[in-house]
């Protein structure tokens, strides 16, 4: 038994955290390759390495996935100080290289010198598609940086191969990501690039992207649905997501056949971003003027948000609540009470549905079963949960209002 435990302890030394072992880079200059400051790591690796996010069989494992900043030409190397099969018989190491090859397209190099030559060719890389929007972001280190947003599709020469490289990032940063059938012509692609100078030339670096699928809506409309959105880690927290989402909304606002814009299974962070962008867009609409907001949610708001900004009723309602809070004097007891009741009325919807279901249950459940369900629907518990939901919603809204104030 002692021998088995000793063996298990030895083998445990060959387990590596794949989130730490995987090293990603967006390389602009040859010196970036050896600069640890340009390395970033995945948030998730379970889709490739299993729920434990562990690779077995290596000590000092390092998986290098380096990309040229523009065209995303790829260097792929697996390094380690020792491998389990070199020390123990009948024990196999995980096929780390094979797992990575499943998600990165062919055409990568395993040679650093070859990668540097690909880096030189990045000077010829130009963004795909049609320019939609240009904006600047101030950096304390670099001053004013210029970014551009493009709309592309699979008819753009070279875009198919580029997109295959780009979407490999999804596996590391979106928890339930999957690759799309990019050959379906219902897809639209929106890309963010940074313009920068290298040896006197203007180059472009990939910042992030969004995919949107255009669904048919009877009889003659479409409903663009955001499928995937990713700002690469070196650029996160700089406002690029908001710029991208706003540019996409403005693009579809000019497409007459678009009914409204939605998102597929949005994350909590995406919902907060969307709330901010839609509130920013709606605050200039006449129906969302301060005096109108205090009168309550109206059909005029629904219609104007739909007609001018392709925002559906559900999202328009959230925007109304955000902008009404912005307008409401919460130190005024009457205004504060009216706002609280207005929001809680919407939040109470699911509880009201439960009450209707309870009435149906009374007709078909046995007394013991009914008592159990009654306990789940206790009025006091409902009130406590409703108040908790209200406070969470208002907290989110206040953060959006603070962000709107900084952009004013």
């Amino acid at each position: 038994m002692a021998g088995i435990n000793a063996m298990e302890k030895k083998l445990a030394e060959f387990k590596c955290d794949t989130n730490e072992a995987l090293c990603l880079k967006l390389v602009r200059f040859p010196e970036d390759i050896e600069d640890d400051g340009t390395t970033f790591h995945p948030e998730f690796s379970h889709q490739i390495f299993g729920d434990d996010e562990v690779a077995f069989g290596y000590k000092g494992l390092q998986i290098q996935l380096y990309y040229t900043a523009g065209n995303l030409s790829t260097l792929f190397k697996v390094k380690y100080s020792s491998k389990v099969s070199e020390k123990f018989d009948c024990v196999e190491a995980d096929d780390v290289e094979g797992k990575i090859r499943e998600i990165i397209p062919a055409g990568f190099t395993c040679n650093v010198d070859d990668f540097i030559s690909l880096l030189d060719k990045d000077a010829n890389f130009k963004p795909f598609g049609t320019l939609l929007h240009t904006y600047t972001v101030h950096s304390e280190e670099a001053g004013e940086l210029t970014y551009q947003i493009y709309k592309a599709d699979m008819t753009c020469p070279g875009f198919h191969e580029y997109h295959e490289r780009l979407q490999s990032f999804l596996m590391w940063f979106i928890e339930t990501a999957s690759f799309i059938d990019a050959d379906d012509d219902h897809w639209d692609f929106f890309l963010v690039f940074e313009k920068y100078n290298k040896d006197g030339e203007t180059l472009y670096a990939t910042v992030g992207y969004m995919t949107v699928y255009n669904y048919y809506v009877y009889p003659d409309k479409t409903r663009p649905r955001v499928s995937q959105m990713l700002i690469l880690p070196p650029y996160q927290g700089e406002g690029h997501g908001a710029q991208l989402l706003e540019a996409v909304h403005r693009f579809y606002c000019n497409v007459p056949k678009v009914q409204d814009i939605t998102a597929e299974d949005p994350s909590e962070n995406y919902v907060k971003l969307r709330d901010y962008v839609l509130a920013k867009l709606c605050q200039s609409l006449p129906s969302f003027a301060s005096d109108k907001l205090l009168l309550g949610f109206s059909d005029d708001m629904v219609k104007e948000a739909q007609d001018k900004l392709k925002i559906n009723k559900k999202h328009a309602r959230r925007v109304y609540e955000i902008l009404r809070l912005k307008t409401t004097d919460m130190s005024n007891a009457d205004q504060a009470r009216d706002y609280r009741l207005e929001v809680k009325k919407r939040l109470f919807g699911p509880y009201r549905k439960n009450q209707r279901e309870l009435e149906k249950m009374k007709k078909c459940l046995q007394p013991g079963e009914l008592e159990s369900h009654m306990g789940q629907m206790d009025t006091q518990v409902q009130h406590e949960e409703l108040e908790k939901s209200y406070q969470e919603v208002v907290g989110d809204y206040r953060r959006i209002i603070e962000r709107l104030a900084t952009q004013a």
Side-chain angles (χ1 to χ4, degrees):
M1 182 66 70
I4 293 174
N5 289 337
M7 177 65 76
E8 288 178 348
K9 188 174 180 180
K10 283 286 186 183
L11 292 175
E13 296 174 2
F14 289 86
K15 291 183 178 180
C16 299
D17 182 329
T18 48
N19 289 333
E20 294 180 6
L22 186 67
C23 299
L24 300 160
K25 284 182 188 283
L26 295 169
V27 180
R28 300 186 183 193
F29 308 99
E31 52 267 30
D32 292 343
I33 296 172
E34 300 299 329
D35 181 2
D36 290 340
T38 63
T39 301
F40 56 100
H41 300 276
E43 291 183 32
F44 316 104
S45 57
H46 61 87
Q47 295 198 101
I48 309 303
F49 294 104
D51 292 342
D52 291 339
E53 298 183 322
V54 165
F56 171 74
Y58 306 88
K59 282 186 179 180
L61 177 65
Q62 185 180 82
I63 307 164
Q64 297 178 341
L65 268 179
Y66 298 169
Y67 298 82
T68 61
N71 196 43
L72 304 180
S73 301
T74 311
L75 171 69
F76 171 43
K77 291 175 69 71
V78 176
K79 301 167 68 175
Y80 48 85
S81 56
S82 63
K83 189 173 180 181
V84 69
S85 58
E86 297 166 358
K87 300 226 176 231
F88 303 94
D89 293 330
C90 304
V91 178
E92 281 193 31
D94 290 341
D95 182 10
V96 169
E97 186 170 330
K99 291 177 184 292
I100 298 293
R101 284 174 179 267
E102 290 178 5
I103 65 159
I104 60 171
F108 59 83
T109 181
C110 299
N111 182 280
V112 173
D113 291 335
D114 290 343
F115 180 70
I116 291 174
S117 69
L118 294 172
L119 193 59
D120 293 335
K121 294 178 182 178
D122 230 35
N124 301 319
F125 173 77
K126 295 293 184 287
F128 300 95
T130 304
L131 176 63
L132 297 183
H133 179 54
T134 300
Y135 62 99
T136 58
V137 173
H138 180 76
S139 165
E140 292 188 5
E141 295 180 0
E144 293 292 320
L145 300 175
T146 300
Y147 298 86
Q148 294 184 327
I149 297 173
Y150 288 76
K151 178 183 179 293
D153 57 46
M154 287 298 159
T155 64
C156 301
F159 180 67
H160 189 285
E161 294 77 12
Y162 167 85
H163 175 260
E164 285 193 331
R165 297 189 290 274
L166 177 58
Q167 73 174 348
S168 66
F169 284 100
L170 295 175
M171 292 298 166
W172 313 123
F173 298 103
I174 297 181
E175 194 164 7
T176 57
S178 60
F179 292 163
I180 64 174
D181 177 12
D183 292 324
D184 186 333
D185 61 10
H186 289 84
W187 286 106
D188 287 334
F189 302 86
F190 298 89
L191 308 154
V192 187
F193 297 95
E194 179 190 344
K195 292 176 70 173
Y196 70 100
N197 291 315
K198 179 180 178 182
D199 300 328
E201 294 184 273
T202 298
L203 276 70
Y204 294 85
T206 300
V207 172
Y209 82 121
M210 177 189 288
T211 58
V212 179
Y213 194 82
N214 293 283
Y215 284 90
Y216 168 73
V217 178
Y218 180 84
D220 60 352
K221 298 287 187 181
T222 63
R223 173 172 287 125
R225 180 182 292 177
V226 176
S227 175
Q228 300 156 327
M229 179 178 179
L230 176 64
I231 301 299
L232 296 172
Y235 302 97
Q236 290 176 4
E238 299 175 353
H240 301 295
Q243 290 282 354
L244 176 56
L245 187 55
E246 182 175 346
V248 169
H249 262 273
R250 292 191 182 280
F251 169 78
Y252 287 121
C253 286
N254 294 315
V255 181
K257 67 177 183 177
V258 168
Q259 178 164 302
D260 54 31
I261 305 164
T262 62
E264 180 182 351
D265 192 22
S267 67
E268 183 177 332
N269 286 337
Y270 179 85
V271 170
K272 291 176 181 178
L273 178 66
R274 180 177 63 196
D275 284 345
Y276 163 71
V277 169
L278 298 189
K280 180 184 175 185
L281 292 171
C282 284
Q283 64 183 351
S284 60
L285 297 180
S287 63
F288 286 84
S290 296
D291 57 331
K292 303 286 181 62
L293 290 164
L294 293 174
L295 297 176
F297 188 52
S298 69
D299 291 340
D300 287 344
M301 293 175 184
V302 175
K303 187 175 188 308
E304 191 171 24
Q306 177 87 48
D307 292 348
K308 294 184 178 179
L309 296 172
K310 313 294 186 182
I311 297 172
N312 63 35
K313 183 177 180 179
K314 178 182 177 182
H315 297 161
R317 169 72 195 203
R318 285 181 66 86
V319 168
Y320 154 74
E321 291 178 5
I322 293 164
L323 296 181
R324 178 162 176 178
L325 178 60
K326 184 171 179 280
T327 301
T328 299
D329 178 4
M330 296 302 277
S331 65
N332 180 308
D334 291 338
Q335 287 193 27
R337 183 191 66 249
D338 290 347
Y339 180 78
R340 184 174 63 254
L341 292 175
E342 183 81 354
V343 175
K344 284 190 174 183
K345 182 180 177 181
R346 175 181 64 81
L347 294 174
F348 190 68
Y351 299 105
R352 191 181 296 113
K353 181 181 178 184
N354 283 344
Q355 294 295 339
R356 291 196 298 269
E357 290 177 350
L358 179 59
E359 292 302 318
K360 295 177 183 177
M361 290 177 187
K362 287 180 179 178
K363 300 175 182 178
C364 59
L365 292 180
Q366 297 297 321
E369 295 173 318
L370 182 60
E371 184 178 341
S372 173
H373 284 282
M374 290 284 284
Q376 294 174 24
M377 298 181 179
D378 180 79
T379 302
Q380 180 63 33
V381 172
Q382 287 186 11
H383 283 301
E384 290 174 0
E385 290 181 353
L386 186 60
E387 178 62 22
K388 181 181 178 182
S389 297
Y390 170 76
Q391 293 298 338
E392 289 176 352
V393 164
V394 169
D396 289 340
Y397 288 175
R398 289 191 190 283
R399 284 185 282 274
I400 291 166
I401 292 167
E402 290 171 5
R403 187 172 180 184
L404 287 170
T406 64
Q407 301 297 317

